[in-house]
Amino acid sequence: MSDNQLPDTGRAAGNAVAPPLSRRRFLSVAGLGAGAAAAGAGALRPGPAVAAGPDPNIVPVPAWSKTLGPGVNVNPYGKPSKFEKDVVRREVTWLTASSESSVSFTPLYALDGVITPNGLCFVRHHGGEAEIDPDKYRFMIHGMVDKELVFTLDDIKRMPGRVNRAYFLECAANSGMEWRGAQLNGCQFTHGMIHNVFYTGVPLRAFLDMAGVKPKGKWVLAEGADAAVMTRSIPIEKALDDCLVAFAMNGEALRPEQGYPVRLVVPGWEGNMWIKWLRRIKVGDQPWQQREETSKYTDLLADGRSRRFTFIMDAKSVVTSPSPQAPLRQKGPNVLTGIAWSGRGSIKRVDVSLDGGRNWTTARLEGPVMPMAMTRFYLDFDWAGQELMVQSRAMDDTGYVQPTKNELRAVRGTNSIYHNNGIQTWLVRSNGETENVEVG
Amino acid sequence: MWKSAEALLVASALLLAAPAGAAPEAKGAPAKAGAQNVGGQKAAQEHAKPQQAVNVSTAAPAPAARAIALGRPALPEEIAAWNIDVRADGEGLPEGKGSVKQGEELFLHNCAVCHGEFGEGAGRWPVLAGGQGTLKSDRPEKTIGSFWPYASTVFDYVHRAMPFGNNQSLTADETYAIVAYLLNLNDLVPEGYVLSKENFPKVALPNEANFYEDDRETTEKAFWKKDPCMTNCSGEVHVTARAQILNVTPDGEAPKGNLE
């Protein structure tokens, strides 16, 4: 399959050559749905290679092995260990004028597997978080249809044909601050406007078929009930294909900040279109040219002209560890890991470079590989303490290969804000500290 | 592998679906391999008591070819309450009108605290006027006058989502007036201008022609590569930019490495 020999930089300088990766592979359970999702890998604490004396963590009996801990329902809704208190969403306050029309970032550096915990999914609001009483929630379909209809939440949950699908949701502006150069130090901030969860819902098509789309109906307008009353135009082909009217994420009701009780799921397409607090679908014969598809979510290119309706999120990847928030802590065996995704289909391959893109090794995809969903990759390697320039490069099943930032800039310039899927470089210094850089 | 799911069909006064055979023509993506309906609609019509329908579904459910007694007809007043969007051709514009002068007054009271008296923006709040001729520059100023393609969007968005924190508080006339003032700030209409439903579609914004559909599959065709380079892909590689120099990341410094 792939060449398991690391490029020169991956070899222990002056020491033994790293053995082929296959000999050091972890035992993995392959197969659909058997992806191991080890949640929140904490930083390794260094321990001496040879014990100077008995380990105090072993020899006296620790408190937690002697006295009773809390009972089974101290936390009726469980929460993470107090030792994981830093694994939280974060905000970059200088990005926006107001926290109610802003974004917080998923702590990708501390996560593993492919499912984003509900409480850590990045949040993007335009008018703050709407608090909607599910009994008062209404969903309307109208416009160029045979029957204009209103549904309650109960109606939606009684619809036949319910499905479960995992999809990534990536903000169109993810990595947007990096167009002009390396700016933020951490994959949480450079790539954290993304999450990947399992949605439960009903295909939008079921509602459109009930209403009966007229032959002239070529677009739908989706609208939210929040204080931004967010609207986006979506082509009818997409609306009838795989969009979902979703009411659950990762098995429980949507979080309020993710659109409780109902949101639109638009697989593979920019997050702005995934209308939260979904209240209305209008069918029409042309796009509406709303603010979020004219002033915003249009891509200004170097010649002063702009692309519009750049719906699809292209193939992209990032190494989450090592990264600025997850430095290397020990020489010797290390696990490089990251995520890849594509709005055009499934991830077919991820290559990793440790020398700034001169040489590449194909990484191991582990866990479910699903269309338009986050895919996890690993590269087990030995580190002798030399500087590394770590990159990852995703390829999807359409043959699209993630470009470098400079390849993107050559086509688009540096002012398009959105759709930056360029290859990320992390510089790992000899002391393990890692920073966001660009190379050339 | 796939189990048959049994669904109860309850005959109801709210039966809304079209009769069998009158399903709307499928558009766009072909229906996925899907449900075979056995004894659904027809049986429900023949018997007053609940019937069983057997659905054999694969990957994605195809549209149900039978009546679904869910939802209810939307009333005209309900549709009118939510159906406030305005399209580029003027469809959806409400009756009404407003002058630049009225708009200036309204803008100073409702908008200037964030957007500045002349739409120049206060602090980090959006700039609404000016910036013409800057789109090719290093730091483009994207405003209604320099960037937005359609005046309809200004009306729709102000009416829908402004003032920030008190949206949908402006009447149709007030919105026409504020849009008239914004057009005047951008040197697109004279000071004596009155904007109305009737003359609205005549208002063209300067940048309309400079938007085009997503063309990535053509202009970025080079990104579809059969065999990307794997070895000796470049000469020496050097660091050309460092985020740490900017030092704008929250929580100050990145965590320290911890080596023996």
Side-chain angles (χ1 to χ4, degrees):
Chain A
M1 215 181 91
S2 66
D3 171 22
N4 282 329
Q5 290 295 337
L6 282 171
D8 284 350
T9 52
R11 296 182 179 179
N15 286 324
V17 173
L21 289 175
S22 54
R23 275 178 40 201
R24 295 186 290 109
R25 291 232 158 135
F26 297 123
L27 201 63
S28 63
V29 184
L32 189 69
L44 294 171
R45 301 253 179 309
V50 179
D55 186 340
N57 296 306
I58 297 174
V59 175
V61 182
W64 55 79
S65 300
K66 280 197 287 202
T67 54
L68 298 176
V72 293
N73 214 24
V74 166
N75 291 309
Y77 195 119
K79 19 179 219 200
S81 157
K82 67 181 183 186
F83 300 106
E84 299 296 321
K85 68 180 189 324
D86 293 334
V87 183
V88 290
R89 296 184 286 225
R90 289 184 178 88
E91 191 179 1
V92 179
T93 48
W94 53 261
L95 271 183
T96 55
S98 144
S99 196
E100 291 78 25
S101 183
S102 192
V103 66
S104 65
F105 299 80
T106 305
L108 295 176
Y109 71 96
L111 303 181
D112 214 315
V114 294
I115 297 300
T116 314
N118 286 344
L120 295 175
C121 288
F122 90 98
V123 177
R124 184 12 169 162
H125 294 327
H126 292 76
E129 178 187 305
E131 185 180 276
I132 297 180
D133 178 341
D135 292 340
K136 296 178 180 173
Y137 169 81
R138 299 292 182 269
F139 175 47
M140 185 186 292
I141 300 217
H142 74 109
M144 289 184 167
V145 292
D146 297 327
K147 296 188 193 64
E148 300 184 303
L149 299 171
V150 171
F151 298 88
T152 63
L153 181 60
D154 180 62
D155 290 334
I156 292 170
K157 290 183 176 178
R158 291 164 62 216
M159 287 283 286
R162 191 184 296 180
V163 299
N164 291 289
R165 298 282 185 274
Y167 294 118
F168 76 84
L169 185 168
E170 185 186 15
C171 178
N174 200 21
S175 313
M177 294 86 78
E178 305 294 304
W179 271 111
R180 288 172 169 271
Q183 182 162 242
L184 289 164
N185 229 2
C187 67
Q188 176 166 19
F189 304 109
T190 56
H191 290 74
M193 293 189 217
I194 188 169
H195 56 67
N196 189 77
V197 306
F198 257 102
Y199 294 95
T200 302
V202 179
L204 176 58
R205 181 178 191 130
F207 296 93
L208 289 167
D209 285 341
M210 272 181 77
V213 176
K214 291 187 185 297
K216 278 190 175 172
K218 296 298 178 199
W219 289 80
V220 303
L221 183 76
E223 179 179 84
D226 60 311
V229 205
M230 276 272 298
T231 41
R232 278 298 298 259
S233 303
I234 303 170
I236 192 77
E237 293 82 4
K238 182 69 173 177
L240 292 172
D241 180 15
D242 56 3
C243 289
L244 302 179
V245 174
F247 49 84
M249 57 195 287
N250 291 336
E252 64 179 353
L254 295 176
R255 291 291 170 94
E257 66 269 27
Q258 302 298 344
Y260 180 86
V262 173
R263 91 172 305 159
L264 189 65
V265 168
V266 191
W269 289 21
E270 62 189 15
N272 182 258
M273 306 177 80
W274 297 48
I275 298 294
K276 297 189 283 192
W277 311 289
L278 179 70
R279 77 174 191 184
R280 186 166 71 109
I281 293 283
K282 180 182 184 178
V283 181
D285 59 355
Q286 56 177 271
W288 281 263
Q289 306 293 355
Q290 296 285 287
R291 184 251 196 176
E292 303 290 322
E293 55 208 16
T294 55
S295 167
K296 308 296 176 189
Y297 305 96
T298 50
D299 311 341
L300 176 62
L301 273 64
D303 67 357
R305 298 164 71 227
S306 301
R307 290 175 179 159
R308 70 176 159 213
F309 301 145
T310 45
F311 301 133
I312 296 175
M313 300 307 291
D314 277 316
K316 187 170 175 179
S317 66
V318 65
V319 173
T320 55
S321 178
S323 66
Q325 297 158 291
L328 289 183
R329 297 188 184 276
Q330 294 225 57
K331 293 179 192 173
N334 273 284
V335 177
L336 179 151
T337 188
I339 48 175
W341 61 95
S342 172
R344 298 187 188 272
S346 298
I347 290 297
K348 193 170 107 188
R349 195 173 103 194
V350 178
D351 300 323
V352 171
S353 175
L354 301 177
D355 60 2
R358 294 181 79 184
N359 296 284
W360 298 86
T361 305
T362 298
R364 178 167 54 94
L365 304 185
E366 167 53 38
V369 177
M370 296 176 283
M372 296 169 290
M374 199 183 275
T375 302
R376 175 62 55 175
F377 64 87
Y378 296 101
L379 185 75
D380 306 321
F381 72 108
D382 276 321
W383 182 51
Q386 76 276 40
E387 279 204 349
L388 306 174
M389 288 183 271
V390 174
Q391 297 183 345
S392 64
R393 179 180 69 189
M395 187 194 295
D396 70 21
D397 59 3
T398 72
Y400 180 100
V401 178
Q402 184 183 2
T404 64
K405 286 205 223 172
N406 285 333
E407 283 173 328
L408 282 175
R409 289 173 184 136
V411 181
R412 306 185 195 170
T414 57
N415 283 322
S416 57
I417 301 177
Y418 308 105
H419 292 281
N420 181 358
N421 65 318
I423 288 172
Q424 174 67 47
T425 309
W426 304 128
L427 175 68
V428 180
R429 298 201 172 279
S430 54
N431 64 357
E433 285 179 39
T434 300
E435 56 173 298
N436 175 8
V437 299
E438 296 208 1
V439 295
Chain B
M1 274 303 292
W2 296 98
K3 284 187 178 170
S4 312
E6 290 195 334
L8 274 184
L9 245 187
V10 183
S12 157
L14 285 174
L15 216 63
L16 286 164
E25 62 175 281
K27 280 178 289 297
K32 302 230 164 85
Q36 295 172 356
N37 232 292
V38 183
Q41 168 105 8
K42 206 167 159 215
Q45 289 170 341
E46 286 169 3
H47 305 281
K49 63 183 183 188
Q51 295 291 315
Q52 289 195 332
V54 181
N55 255 307
V56 184
S57 64
T58 53
R66 57 178 168 79
I68 300 171
L70 291 167
R72 62 162 176 85
L75 301 177
E77 304 92 316
E78 294 172 331
I79 295 169
W82 283 0
N83 187 27
I84 60 167
D85 43 88
V86 179
R87 226 164 57 173
D89 60 359
E91 190 204 65
L93 280 169
E95 294 298 332
K97 63 180 195 299
S99 69
V100 171
K101 196 161 169 43
Q102 292 165 321
E104 179 177 26
E105 191 71 17
L106 287 159
F107 192 88
L108 291 176
H109 279 105
N110 295 286
C111 320
V113 63
C114 293
H115 295 295
E117 286 180 32
F118 303 101
E120 74 277 17
R124 285 194 310 248
W125 297 101
V127 179
L128 304 181
Q132 279 88 341
T134 65
L135 296 187
K136 292 182 200 173
S137 72
D138 187 43
R139 298 283 177 178
E141 182 97 271
K142 293 154 77 177
T143 73
I144 292 165
S146 71
F147 188 69
W148 290 38
Y150 305 105
S152 62
T153 315
V154 187
F155 187 99
D156 176 278
Y157 185 66
V158 169
H159 198 214
R160 163 186 310 281
M162 287 289 132
F164 190 63
N166 190 27
N167 60 328
Q168 298 194 49
S169 61
L170 296 165
T171 66
D173 284 351
E174 288 171 333
T175 309
Y176 277 111
I178 288 169
V179 176
Y181 181 64
L182 288 170
L183 294 173
N184 176 254
L185 285 179
N186 280 285
D187 304 321
L188 297 168
V189 298
E191 262 180 50
Y193 192 79
V194 178
L195 186 67
S196 67
K197 181 182 177 179
E198 288 67 38
N199 66 13
F200 198 101
K202 295 191 183 76
V203 179
L205 296 189
N207 201 44
E208 180 183 343
N210 293 320
F211 288 83
Y212 59 96
E213 310 306 307
D214 183 4
D215 64 351
R216 282 176 289 177
E217 288 179 36
T218 313
T219 53
E220 297 179 3
K221 205 172 172 57
F223 299 160
W224 277 264
K225 298 170 183 169
K226 275 202 167 61
D227 293 301
C229 177
M230 293 297 287
T231 52
N232 298 319
C233 303
S234 69
E236 280 294 320
V237 176
H238 302 283
V239 171
T240 55
R242 294 178 60 201
Q244 217 145 296
I245 290 171
L246 284 176
N247 199 22
V248 290
T249 309
D251 309 328
E253 287 181 59
K256 291 264 183 279
N258 193 355
L259 287 168
E260 301 155 58

